[in-house]
């Protein structure tokens, strides 16, 4: 399936107009927090790479692309602004709705975060300040093998980029493993995953032989958020 073909000229014009309207709306909103009321996320089944390219060129927000079992087609998760499903129908693209209203999901997530009554720190996502504090707390809890580095450098907006160095002093080889995340600011799961894995490693070092073997072979430099400006922006403006 190709999104733009000679037989799909009308749909191409519709998508082009939509992209222009999206651009105008973005300019009008400026830096205000964006709302995604009425936006859906759908999964397009059995598409090819050209569909991805043209959706992105038209301004659609493609969330994920995964190969299908047939090895020759893709499943595409894409967010649709209101009243744009008809475009996919005109392309004869098969799709199912994954999220009915993105803003409803965002509101639910924000309410959960504000409650602050989670059983575990990892039950919800955390902002930049919380992540820095968590790194520092790990160093305090495991001082024999962890060193907190407040800043390995500054971001464009002058935020510190923190790090945690895990070194058991057991290895005589100066081997470092860089464990970083957060390049893509809106992917909140990445810093959370990095922190969770880091915490599992340092908390199990004294009791898990497999973990001990790993940590004793190298120094692990953990940088969970290499893009603190974008991450902070995704919390206050648009994700």
């Amino acid at each position: 399936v190709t999104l733009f073909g000679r037989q799909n000229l009308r749909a191409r014009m519709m998508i082009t107009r939509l992209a222009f309207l999206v651009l105008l709306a973005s300019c009008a909103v400026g830096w205000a927090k964006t709302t995604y009321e009425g936006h859906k996320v759908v999964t397009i089944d059995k598409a090819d790479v050209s569909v991805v390219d043209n959706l992105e060129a038209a301004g659609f927000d493609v969330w994920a692309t995964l190969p299908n079992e047939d090895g020759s087609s893709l499943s595409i998760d894409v967010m649709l602004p209101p009243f744009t499903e008809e475009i996919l129908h005109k392309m004869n693209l098969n799709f199912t709705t994954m999220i009915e209203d993105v803003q409803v999901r965002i509101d639910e997530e924000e309410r959960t975060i504000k409650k602050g009554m989670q059983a575990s720190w990892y039950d919800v996502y955390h902002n930049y300040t919380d992540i820095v504090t968590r790194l520092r707390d790990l160093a305090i809890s495991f001082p024999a093998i962890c060193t907190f580095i407040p800043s390995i450098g500054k971001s464009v907006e002058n935020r510190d980029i923190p790090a945690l160095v895990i070194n058991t002093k057991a290895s005589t080889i100066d081997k470092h493993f860089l464990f970083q995340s957060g390049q893509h600011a809106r992917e909140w799961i990445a810093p959370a995953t990095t922190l969770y894995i880091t915490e599992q490693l340092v908390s199990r070092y004294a009791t898990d032989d497999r973990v001990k073997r790993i940590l004793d072979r190298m120094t692990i430099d953990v940088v969970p958020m290499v893009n603190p400006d974008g991450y902070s922006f995704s919390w206050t403006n648009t994700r």
Side-chain angles (χ1 to χ4, degrees):
V1 179
T2 58
L3 184 59
F4 295 156
R6 293 181 180 177
Q7 296 178 349
N8 296 324
L9 180 58
R10 182 179 178 184
R12 179 176 181 177
M13 293 174 64
M14 291 175 62
I15 296 178
T16 302
R17 287 198 296 269
L18 173 63
F20 180 67
L21 291 173
V22 170
L23 177 61
L24 288 179
S26 300
C27 293
V29 170
W31 297 113
K33 189 168 184 179
T34 304
T35 177
Y36 293 96
E37 183 177 356
H39 287 60
K40 294 184 176 184
V41 177
V42 303
T43 298
I44 302 171
D45 190 32
K46 294 185 178 179
D48 63 26
V49 176
S50 66
V51 175
V52 179
D53 294 340
N54 290 298
L55 284 171
E56 291 180 335
F60 285 95
D61 191 352
V62 176
W63 284 23
T65 58
L66 296 172
N68 288 321
E69 292 183 359
D70 59 21
S72 61
S73 66
L74 299 172
S75 289
I76 305 168
D77 295 340
V78 58
M79 184 167 66
L80 302 178
F83 313 114
T84 58
E85 288 180 82
E86 186 62 26
I87 293 174
L88 301 188
H89 286 302
K90 289 181 180 295
M91 299 300 100
N92 295 318
L93 295 172
N94 296 320
F95 64 91
T96 56
T97 300
M98 184 168 65
I99 300 175
E100 189 66 36
D101 192 316
V102 174
Q103 190 60 45
V104 171
R105 290 290 187 92
I106 292 174
D107 293 342
E108 290 173 351
E109 184 177 69
E110 289 182 348
R111 284 194 295 270
T112 301
I113 292 173
K114 288 177 181 178
K115 285 181 181 178
M117 299 174 62
Q118 295 76 38
S120 166
W121 193 84
Y122 297 99
D123 283 348
V124 297
Y125 292 113
H126 294 272
N127 60 24
Y128 166 78
T129 301
D130 287 349
I131 290 175
V132 174
T133 301
R134 191 69 175 184
L135 275 184
R136 184 183 294 112
D137 289 347
L138 285 176
I140 293 172
S141 299
F142 304 96
I145 61 174
C146 292
T147 302
F148 174 66
I149 310 297
S151 182
I152 60 171
K154 292 285 189 178
S155 68
V156 173
E157 296 179 358
N158 205 39
R159 289 183 177 85
D160 289 318
I161 301 174
L164 186 76
V165 177
I166 306 173
N167 188 340
T168 67
K169 313 296 192 301
S171 176
T172 57
I173 302 174
D174 188 18
K175 182 190 297 184
H176 285 252
F177 180 87
L178 176 61
F179 188 22
Q180 69 174 44
S181 61
Q183 294 96 321
H184 301 159
R186 67 178 184 173
E187 296 172 3
W188 293 359
I189 189 67
T193 301
T194 299
L195 278 172
Y196 180 79
I197 294 173
T198 299
E199 186 163 339
Q200 293 303 304
L201 289 174
V202 298
S203 64
R204 296 184 182 189
Y205 174 73
T207 59
D208 191 320
D209 289 340
R210 295 171 302 174
V211 171
K212 180 175 174 57
R213 285 196 298 270
I214 293 171
L215 297 187
D216 283 348
R217 290 176 180 174
M218 68 188 76
T219 297
I220 299 181
D221 303 309
V222 183
V223 187
M225 194 188 313
V226 298
N227 180 13
D229 296 343
Y231 189 80
S232 298
F233 182 87
S234 71
W235 276 74
T236 58
N237 293 66
T238 181
R239 189 174 169 188

